[in-house]
Amino acid sequence: MKSLKRRKLQIKAFHIERVVSSETTSISGNTLSLGTDMKNPELISRLKYVKELRIELIKPNERDKFVNSIVDFIPISTKVLGKMGEGITHTLTGVNVMLTAIDEDNIQAAEFGSSEGILSEQVVFGRAGTPQKEDLIIHMDVILVSGGTKIRGGINQCHEICDYFIQQIREKLKKLNGRNCTDKCEFFDKIRPEGKKVVILKQVAGQGAMYDTRIFSAEPSGFSGGKSIIDLGNMPVLITPNEYRDGAIRAMH
């Protein structure tokens, strides 16, 4: 049966082995440098629910430590050419961002139960949606104002400030020469005129502050520019296989 190829998506991966602090944010070889400008006091002052932001690096052998309730794990990817589901996407491997949150009264971010505790005991690494066992983790710990962990606005602002942080890295990732990638994958949305029509239904969270889903953000697995499935009335949304592969869905939980 002949198939027609539509919407080519090319994902180029750049592997990171070191994350260091620096004056400016940059990516050079297998090293990611996080600049001192990553924390934006002006942005923090504009977000009414955010009181403080703490950033640290957690190495693979440092996971036996306490962390606040885990809000999300986020890969670092960016569109270089085309829109979501087609064109070229650059992504970093070997490093992930972990977002945690607590409020100034020491109330953990939670919906049906919080996930604070020893990181190595709270997360099963190497699964879909979690960092690999050998990955570096950029830990963003957000302290919200009193009551901020229990309302949607507070949790959304955790994602907003985290997305701003990741965007600084994305801007450098966009400019990397694709020829220097450490891995490359190509995907096609295929149409089989004589084949069966198959639709996969994926149920996503759309219940509240810690159980939300963002779709079609400006960047893969991003927050800015996306739509909340709650705000869309939890109605069905059609997504192509390549859009799914490219990070059209951001599971905010």
Side-chain angles (χ1 to χ4, degrees):
M1 184 184 299
K2 186 177 180 180
S3 63
L4 305 176
K5 293 182 178 180
R6 295 287 187 270
R7 292 179 295 272
K8 175 183 175 181
L9 170 64
Q10 194 173 75
I11 298 179
K12 298 182 178 182
F14 298 82
H15 192 66
I16 295 297
E17 296 180 357
R18 295 175 64 241
V19 177
V20 299
S21 298
S22 178
E23 291 186 1
T24 58
T25 302
S26 66
I27 303 172
S28 178
N30 59 9
T31 299
L32 168 63
S33 299
L34 303 180
T36 55
D37 58 339
M38 300 299 281
K39 286 186 179 181
N40 188 329
E42 182 178 340
L43 175 63
I44 294 176
S45 65
R46 182 173 61 81
L47 300 175
K48 67 176 183 178
Y49 297 113
V50 177
K51 183 177 181 180
E52 186 181 349
L53 170 65
R54 301 167 183 164
I55 302 174
E56 66 171 347
L57 175 67
I58 301 177
K59 297 178 181 179
N61 62 349
E62 298 174 342
R63 294 177 180 175
D64 293 326
K65 64 175 295 180
F66 179 88
V67 297
N68 287 321
S69 190
I70 300 170
V71 177
D72 207 357
F73 284 107
I74 308 107
I76 303 173
S77 301
T78 188
K79 291 305 300 182
V80 176
L81 181 66
K83 61 183 182 179
M84 193 74 68
E86 60 184 57
I88 299 174
T89 295
H90 284 181
T91 189
L92 293 183
T93 57
V95 62
N96 270 261
V97 174
M98 179 177 70
L99 175 62
T100 63
I102 193 172
D103 76 4
E104 58 186 336
D105 299 325
N106 289 323
I107 303 299
Q108 298 284 343
E111 188 87 23
F112 302 115
S114 58
S115 58
E116 77 279 5
I118 303 301
L119 177 59
S120 60
E121 299 174 358
Q122 294 299 107
V123 178
V124 179
F125 293 97
R127 300 289 181 86
T130 67
Q132 298 300 308
K133 295 179 180 179
E134 64 277 8
D135 280 357
L136 297 161
I137 297 174
I138 301 171
H139 178 203
M140 294 194 64
D141 190 34
V142 180
I143 293 81
L144 299 171
V145 299
S146 179
T149 55
K150 297 298 181 182
I151 57 175
R152 205 172 154 215
I155 299 300
N156 278 345
Q157 288 190 1
C158 287
H159 286 280
E160 183 177 349
I161 195 169
C162 183
D163 199 59
Y164 169 86
F165 171 87
I166 296 175
Q167 191 62 36
Q168 312 311 304
I169 304 174
R170 291 186 186 121
E171 294 302 325
K172 306 302 179 182
L173 182 56
K174 288 179 189 291
K175 298 177 182 179
L176 294 184
N177 189 330
R179 296 177 181 177
N180 297 328
C181 67
T182 51
D183 195 15
K184 180 173 67 175
C185 296
E186 290 185 350
F187 304 98
F188 293 88
D189 281 335
K190 296 180 181 179
I191 299 175
R192 297 179 176 86
E194 300 177 6
K196 294 181 179 179
K197 306 301 181 185
V198 178
V199 176
I200 297 176
L201 299 179
K202 180 178 176 62
Q203 187 175 13
V204 299
Q207 297 151 292
M210 281 284 286
Y211 280 83
D212 196 358
T213 303
R214 205 88 168 172
I215 59 174
F216 291 112
S217 299
E219 295 279 14
S221 302
F223 179 84
S224 178
K227 300 293 184 182
S228 163
I229 199 72
I230 297 175
D231 296 337
L232 295 175
N234 285 310
M235 295 298 290
V237 178
L238 182 63
I239 295 178
T240 69
N242 267 359
E243 288 170 340
Y244 181 81
R245 293 183 181 108
D246 206 15
I249 298 177
R250 164 77 175 269
M252 296 164 53
H253 55 278

